[in-house]
Amino acid sequence: MEQDHRLLTVPSEDGVPLLRARRSRPRIKLNLVGLMALLLLVQGYPLLLIVSSAFNVGDPQAIPPTEFGLSNFVQILDHLDWVWNSLLVAVGGTLLATAIGVLLAWIIHRTTVPGSSLLEILIAIPYPLGPLVGALSWSALGSPSSGLINKLFVAVTGFASPVIDITSLGGIIFVMAIFEAPVAVLMIGAAMQRMDPSLEECSAIFGGGRMRTALRVTLPLMLPAILSSALFLFTSMLGAFAIPAILGVASRFYVITTAIYVLFQGYPPNYPLAAALGLLLIAITAIAVWLYGRVLSGRSFTVVSGKNYRPRRVDMGAWTPLLFAIACLYIVIALILPLGVLLVASVQSGGEIRWDVSEWTLRNYHYVLIDFPTTRQAIVNSLMLGVGTGTIGTALAAAIAWAVHRHHGPGVRALEQVTMLPQAFPRLIFAFGFLWMLLSLPFPLYGTALSVLLVYVIVFLPLAYRSMAGVVVQIDRSMEEAAQMSGAAWWRMMRTVTLPLLRSGLLATWVLIFMVSIREVSASLFLAGPGIQVLGPAIFSFWDSGGLPRVSALAVVQAVIILVALLLVRWLTRQGGKIGGVQA
């Protein structure tokens, strides 16, 4: 983007010439048009390959296909249990995670529960740790035969049957919900902090109690935020892979994503049926977005007025200890127990968890960090990819956010929509299409670090853009205009005014993208090969062959990297930055 700025000499009343800046209408430079075309290509071409493969009834590995038909979609009718399982997990997990998110957001942001700032931080940590850590830890905690909780229950009560089965449908929904709930807390909590408290005060004046006000006033007004978080959770859980794959393998519980992985790994691989299942996931996501728009259309949910006000918390009186206990219970279930069991499992000398400290060892960490080249290289590759993804993704997102929010016109709005497009596709499905694109290229790119870096940048670009957009809109453009009126060229204005003001947002966004790329599994599962191992797929494959102690040690290493990044994010936000316009 560039603007044409000319200084005009304007006579004043006393005859002394004044300088006035005249700004022409912003023009879209060819490089931004090229950027939008490039984004469309790297997103649209994989989708086109998925569509063509889904209708392929000839050679399943032909690119492009030569024979087309509907037989792959007909085959889905023989596996409706995969579709039904996916819907059950997504709907059940969304309802539970949204309910947890509403309750915790209300406790933290609208009540006088003590330590709300610390609770907010602790509740947010399970999400960046990721579903892979959650699946591994709860597999050790709640497996029917070997889970620590079930062993303790049998030892105490003498009953032979386990108290929980984390590998069942309910167990998978439970684990998925507790590790996705922080997203709902963040989104709903942000809306609650902006709500005019006079709406709740009116309810109190007319005799509404605290709980009645929360249920009859606060909750209905939060419906857009609740539905937005529910839509995000539904699409995320519909495309989830790690938790169903790890917890559902013992009971042969397949969802669409795990079925796609099995079809891909089979011999011979059934790419057309996998592509048809991927298109079905995209169609279900599109229907969910359409329903979201239908529910909110034509209804008013104004919660922010034009007057100044300070959001006031509600004193819940005798309910306060119970609400505090609920928040602490979630932290124990989603953070303390999972990390605790992984730490204990990682220092075991044998396959079973023993509580004799004299038998604990650090040999598992020495193995995954030094002795075993695959995991050692996976750690190095993940760190390098995290740095590269954070750098490229943040720079690209900052440029797009500045262009969109500093200029107007259909071109920049189209650029914003193209940037956000990957958010509509499950990452596993996009990675599948991206793999097909790599295989169709005339030069070898599959199995290289560059291929994983490209897909990371694409799938995390919407997150980086939202983070940077929230920072850009907070900067008054008058400071940039003042620099231009003083004669500063565009590049000098960006270097001396805009970039210094964006520094904290750039650093926080970089760390955020670094953090989520370290924990990613689905986007790199098909692309990480013998030549390029990364942590997520390495932990997943190591879980199947390396034993609980060693895979726990590797998962703890990943968790430590993410927690250090998260602490850095908190430090950066305390310096005055915000991620995505919402306190991290």
Side-chain angles (χ1 to χ4, degrees):
M1 285 285 184
E2 74 173 356
Q3 294 175 330
D4 182 23
H5 300 277
R6 297 186 179 91
L7 292 178
L8 302 181
T9 301
V10 182
S12 63
E13 294 181 357
D14 55 4
V16 179
L18 299 174
L19 292 178
R20 185 182 68 186
R22 185 181 71 183
R23 184 172 58 187
S24 67
R25 189 171 182 175
R27 302 191 303 254
I28 300 179
K29 294 181 67 176
L30 291 179
N31 57 350
L32 283 184
V33 174
L35 173 62
M36 184 163 62
L38 178 62
L39 290 176
L40 280 173
L41 176 63
V42 296
Q43 296 171 24
Y45 188 38
L47 180 61
L48 178 63
L49 290 175
I50 292 176
V51 173
S52 62
S53 178
F55 290 94
N56 180 19
V57 294
D59 182 2
Q61 300 188 37
I63 306 176
T66 57
E67 300 178 51
F68 298 92
L70 298 175
S71 61
N72 298 312
F73 294 95
V74 174
Q75 287 186 55
I76 295 178
L77 298 177
D78 298 329
H79 304 284
L80 289 180
D81 56 319
W82 299 345
V83 181
W84 180 243
N85 289 340
S86 294
L87 291 175
L88 286 177
V89 168
V91 172
T94 298
L95 292 176
L96 181 56
T98 303
I100 294 173
V102 171
L103 180 58
L104 293 178
W106 178 72
I107 290 173
I108 292 173
H109 298 292
R110 302 301 292 171
T111 71
T112 56
V113 165
S116 58
S117 297
L118 179 60
L119 291 175
E120 183 181 3
I121 296 173
L122 295 177
I123 288 172
I125 293 177
Y127 181 72
L129 287 180
L132 190 58
V133 169
L136 290 172
S137 58
W138 272 97
S139 176
L141 284 167
S143 293
S145 58
S146 60
L148 292 181
I149 294 177
N150 289 321
K151 283 186 174 181
L152 179 62
F153 175 77
V154 172
V156 172
T157 63
F159 293 144
S161 58
V163 64
I164 60 172
D165 182 3
I166 210 66
T167 65
S168 64
L169 172 62
I172 293 173
I173 289 174
F174 168 77
V175 176
M176 197 170 291
I178 61 174
F179 280 88
E180 294 285 350
V183 177
V185 176
L186 180 66
M187 298 176 69
I188 299 170
M192 286 185 175
Q193 292 180 81
R194 296 193 300 266
M195 192 183 77
D196 188 346
S198 63
L199 301 171
E200 295 172 320
E201 292 169 0
C202 291
S203 173
I205 291 173
F206 285 99
R210 298 183 184 93
M211 297 302 296
R212 182 179 178 86
T213 298
L215 294 174
R216 300 296 297 272
V217 177
T218 308
L219 190 61
L221 288 173
M222 291 299 102
L223 186 59
I226 293 172
L227 290 179
S228 295
S229 65
L231 176 63
F232 179 88
L233 292 171
F234 177 80
T235 56
S236 177
M237 293 181 185
L238 193 65
F241 172 78
I243 292 177
I246 290 178
L247 298 183
V249 64
S251 57
R252 302 186 63 83
F253 181 88
Y254 290 106
V255 295
I256 292 179
T257 51
T258 55
I260 289 174
Y261 179 76
V262 171
L263 291 170
F264 186 86
Q265 296 293 329
Y267 185 81
N270 193 340
Y271 296 134
L273 181 56
L277 288 169
L279 278 188
L280 180 60
L281 273 185
I282 295 174
I284 296 173
T285 302
I287 293 172
V289 173
W290 177 78
L291 289 175
Y292 168 79
R294 291 285 297 175
V295 170
L296 294 184
S297 63
R299 302 178 65 179
S300 176
F301 299 91
T302 302
V303 295
V304 181
S305 63
K307 62 182 180 180
N308 292 327
Y309 58 85
R310 181 187 298 273
R312 287 184 288 274
R313 297 173 181 266
V314 180
D315 186 357
M316 297 303 296
W319 288 92
T320 300
L322 176 61
L323 298 179
F324 180 75
I326 291 174
C328 291
L329 178 62
Y330 172 80
I331 294 170
V332 169
I333 293 174
L335 181 61
I336 296 176
L337 279 179
L339 288 183
V341 73
L342 287 180
L343 282 171
V344 173
S346 68
V347 295
Q348 299 298 314
S349 55
E352 289 190 17
I353 295 179
R354 300 181 183 274
W355 299 101
D356 186 356
V357 180
S358 62
E359 297 184 7
W360 291 4
T361 178
L362 296 177
R363 285 198 300 258
N364 299 312
Y365 289 98
H366 190 277
Y367 180 81
V368 300
L369 290 173
I370 299 175
D371 294 342
F372 193 51
T374 300
T375 54
R376 186 178 67 246
Q377 192 61 43
I379 295 171
V380 174
N381 290 338
S382 292
L383 291 173
M384 293 177 61
L385 286 169
V387 171
T389 306
T391 303
I392 298 174
T394 300
L396 192 58
I400 296 173
W402 188 86
V404 169
H405 292 280
R406 285 295 185 265
H407 302 281
H408 303 283
V412 291
R413 292 303 169 189
L415 177 61
E416 181 181 37
Q417 293 173 359
V418 171
T419 302
M420 295 301 299
L421 188 60
Q423 198 171 21
F425 305 129
R427 291 172 185 170
L428 184 75
I429 307 306
F430 182 81
F432 176 61
F434 199 83
L435 171 64
W436 273 85
M437 184 183 76
L438 295 180
L439 295 177
S440 67
L441 295 177
F443 48 88
L445 194 58
Y446 170 70
T448 64
L450 180 58
S451 64
V452 182
L453 177 64
L454 287 174
V455 78
Y456 275 9
V457 170
I458 295 169
V459 299
F460 294 131
L461 186 59
L463 177 62
Y465 170 75
R466 285 303 182 198
S467 299
M468 286 309 307
V471 179
V472 170
V473 297
Q474 293 178 337
I475 298 176
D476 191 346
R477 68 178 63 196
S478 63
M479 291 181 283
E480 296 173 334
E481 293 172 349
Q484 293 168 341
M485 292 181 66
S486 299
W490 179 86
W491 64 269
R492 186 175 182 183
M493 174 205 72
M494 294 295 294
R495 180 173 58 86
T496 60
V497 177
T498 305
L499 289 180
L501 292 172
L502 291 176
R503 184 180 294 118
S504 62
L506 288 169
L507 291 173
T509 302
W510 187 94
V511 176
L512 177 64
I513 300 305
F514 170 86
M515 186 168 54
V516 296
S517 64
I518 290 293
R519 71 160 208 174
E520 179 57 36
V521 181
S522 300
S524 54
L525 193 63
F526 292 142
L527 301 175
I532 175 67
Q533 287 286 344
V534 291
L535 264 176
I539 292 175
F540 179 75
S541 60
F542 209 47
W543 161 78
D544 193 31
S545 59
L548 179 61
R550 289 176 175 176
V551 74
S552 297
L554 189 57
V556 169
V557 171
Q558 182 194 60
V560 168
I561 296 173
I562 293 171
L563 287 175
V564 170
L566 185 61
L567 290 175
L568 183 57
V569 169
R570 297 300 306 181
W571 180 80
L572 290 171
T573 54
R574 283 199 299 270
Q575 303 305 309
K578 287 187 176 182
I579 298 177
V582 181
Q583 193 72 25

